[in-house]
Amino acid sequence: MKRRPLLSCLAALPLLASGCATLAPEALMGTGDLGVVIERATGSVLLVNTSHHTVLARVSGLGDLSHASVVFSRDGRNAYVFGRDGAVTRIDLITRRITAREQQAGNSIGGAISADGTLIAAQNYTPGGVKVFDATTMQLLADIPALTREGQRSRVVGLADLPGRRFIYSLFDADAICIADCSNPTQPQITRIDNIGHQPYDALVTPDGRHYIAGLFGEDGLALVDTWAEQPSARRILSGYGRGQQPLPVFKMPHLRGWAVAGRHAYLPAIGRHEVLIVDTTSWTEVGRIPVAGQPVFVMARPDGRQVWVNFAVPDYHRVQVIDTMDQRVVATLQPGKAVMHMEFTPRGESVWISCRDDDRVQVVNTATLATQASLPAQAPSGIFFSARAQRMGF
């Protein structure tokens, strides 16, 4: 007799809870179509909605955002911003405010989040090395040194996540690649691969997480590591791709990430050349190259792989070129604005957002018609990062 009223009350609790809760409209918003635009000159970011082409809010107080990069929590709610000044700042995309900030180094150029979303890793120039944090509490769990054979500190570049709570990164000053297994994050196990080539400057992980490719600034070629191997080693690929040609001065270091893989091919910027290299990802040999307007900086495949978009270093800052991957040639040249710094595709690739720093705006372009869909004001915008990265490896 007494049990039925009790069960009725328990069944009503969720309704009572939802009825009593007072949620602001923005608290009901999903985060799958949100993103972050870096405003490097003012140390602020814009929170944007990619479905409606709108700016939701500006969050300030993030310090030096030169070369800033962003990763997202697995649920897409939090953005972790890695600043050049060595700070890591966590922003809640729903409440639109900073929820944590850690000054973890003096000079840093990026970071990564573990596959399970529990660990944040930062790669540092000063004092070098990698620091690993709990993603929830931001507590420091590990301080991994990066040293040359002579015991000097090395700058760390090309940090990316691997399956299994692992991170992989390159040591610019030590000509080495390291894999940190953080299964026990307070006692990471390090696998070091030496003699990978001279001065690795950036790297990418293929979308399946198997291969890691480091670009080599000090020589003509790249280093490839098969992370599935029982004892990973590095081998050179594309050695001498510029052989017989006089290299041009490098005005801006190109960037590598998993976004350059489309189908069975990887599209890579050639250092000091006006070319995009095409690499077969089964043999890791060059199968072609595409002449482009200048020195490529970002070479990014649309999510379906049909197009590859390229922007350039000075003096071709204002150009963006579109490569058709069926024909392997440039099919369009756009001039969206002054000083194009970065591009980011929406998750299904129907639009691309382009930061035009010296025009103080972000252009949104339809990738099918190449028509401008929106023009959003921003203060010297640079990097653009959408929350869909949370579900992709190597981002």
Side-chain angles (χ1 to χ4, degrees):
M1 294 296 290
K2 295 181 179 179
R3 189 180 181 187
R4 184 180 298 278
L6 175 61
L7 293 175
S8 298
C9 289
L10 291 174
L13 279 177
L15 294 176
L16 289 172
S18 62
C20 293
T22 301
L23 298 176
E26 62 268 24
L28 299 174
M29 179 183 292
T31 61
D33 60 354
L34 302 186
V36 171
V37 177
I38 302 294
E39 295 182 310
R40 60 190 296 173
T42 53
S44 56
V45 300
L46 297 179
L47 306 186
V48 299
N49 182 299
T50 61
S51 295
H52 304 296
H53 304 157
T54 54
V55 175
L56 302 175
R58 172 176 284 118
V59 179
S60 303
L62 281 80
D64 183 354
L65 294 184
S66 306
H67 206 284
S69 66
V70 179
V71 299
F72 293 89
S73 57
R74 277 169 61 96
D75 60 5
R77 176 160 184 170
N78 296 306
Y80 297 85
V81 183
F82 299 86
R84 189 60 185 260
D85 57 4
V88 181
T89 307
R90 187 177 63 206
I91 298 173
D92 186 324
L93 300 182
I94 294 295
T95 62
R96 304 171 187 174
R97 63 186 180 87
I98 294 173
T99 56
R101 181 170 169 82
E102 186 70 28
Q103 187 67 48
Q104 57 89 32
N107 189 337
S108 178
I109 63 162
I113 186 169
S114 62
D116 64 0
T118 62
L119 304 174
I120 297 294
Q123 63 180 7
N124 296 318
Y125 272 10
T126 305
V130 172
K131 287 186 178 180
V132 181
F133 298 87
D134 183 297
T136 301
T137 65
M138 297 298 286
Q139 177 188 357
L140 178 64
L141 300 176
D143 187 352
I144 304 172
L147 301 175
T148 66
R149 288 183 171 180
E150 294 74 31
Q152 304 299 314
R153 292 181 180 273
S154 171
R155 289 167 284 185
V156 175
V157 297
L159 176 69
D161 58 284
L162 293 176
R165 264 190 151 190
R166 295 179 301 160
F167 297 101
I168 188 168
Y169 51 94
S170 299
L171 279 55
F172 180 86
D173 304 295
D175 299 341
I177 292 172
C178 293
I179 300 174
D181 185 340
C182 295
S183 298
N184 180 352
T186 60
Q187 294 182 324
Q189 301 299 307
I190 309 300
T191 299
R192 177 169 172 142
I193 305 168
D194 285 303
N195 302 316
I196 58 100
H198 194 39
Q199 293 180 324
Y201 64 89
D202 195 13
L204 68 86
V205 168
T206 51
D208 61 5
R210 177 173 179 175
H211 293 102
Y212 179 81
I213 304 172
L216 301 174
F217 186 65
E219 61 183 82
D220 215 0
L222 301 97
L224 172 74
V225 175
D226 183 351
T227 68
W228 287 8
E230 187 171 345
Q231 294 183 330
S233 60
R235 69 180 175 96
R236 310 287 174 82
I237 61 172
L238 307 187
S239 293
Y241 66 74
R243 187 176 293 119
Q245 301 176 34
Q246 182 65 37
L248 300 172
V250 177
F251 299 115
K252 186 175 182 180
M253 197 75 82
H255 290 262
L256 304 172
R257 286 286 141 174
W259 53 56
V261 177
R264 62 180 293 182
H265 293 141
Y267 294 82
L268 305 177
I271 288 189
R273 305 186 184 285
H274 295 184
E275 294 173 327
V276 170
L277 307 175
I278 309 172
V279 182
D280 188 311
T281 58
T282 57
S283 63
W284 294 107
T285 58
E286 180 186 336
V287 294
R289 54 183 67 187
I290 302 170
V292 291
Q295 293 186 15
V297 176
F298 285 100
V299 178
M300 306 177 71
R302 201 173 68 177
D304 65 352
R306 178 61 192 272
Q307 295 177 346
V308 170
W309 288 55
V310 186
N311 75 322
F312 303 98
V314 292
D316 301 290
Y317 250 0
H318 60 297
R319 301 179 196 272
V320 170
Q321 290 195 309
V322 183
I323 294 171
D324 184 315
T325 56
M326 289 285 286
D327 297 333
Q328 307 285 21
R329 66 182 180 87
V330 173
V331 294
T333 299
L334 311 180
Q335 297 187 25
K338 299 176 183 175
V340 172
M341 299 297 289
H342 196 212
M343 301 171 288
E344 178 85 333
F345 291 98
T346 50
R348 301 292 182 95
E350 77 282 356
S351 300
V352 61
W353 288 47
I354 302 172
S355 58
C356 304
R357 185 194 63 191
D358 292 353
D359 275 338
D360 289 324
R361 63 182 53 253
V362 172
Q363 303 283 46
V364 183
V365 177
N366 183 308
T367 59
T369 66
L370 305 184
T372 300
Q373 297 174 295
S375 184
L376 307 174
Q379 298 173 3
S382 54
I384 305 174
F385 307 88
F386 294 159
S387 61
R389 288 174 174 241
Q391 316 307 329
R392 299 181 66 181
M393 204 173 300
F395 281 76

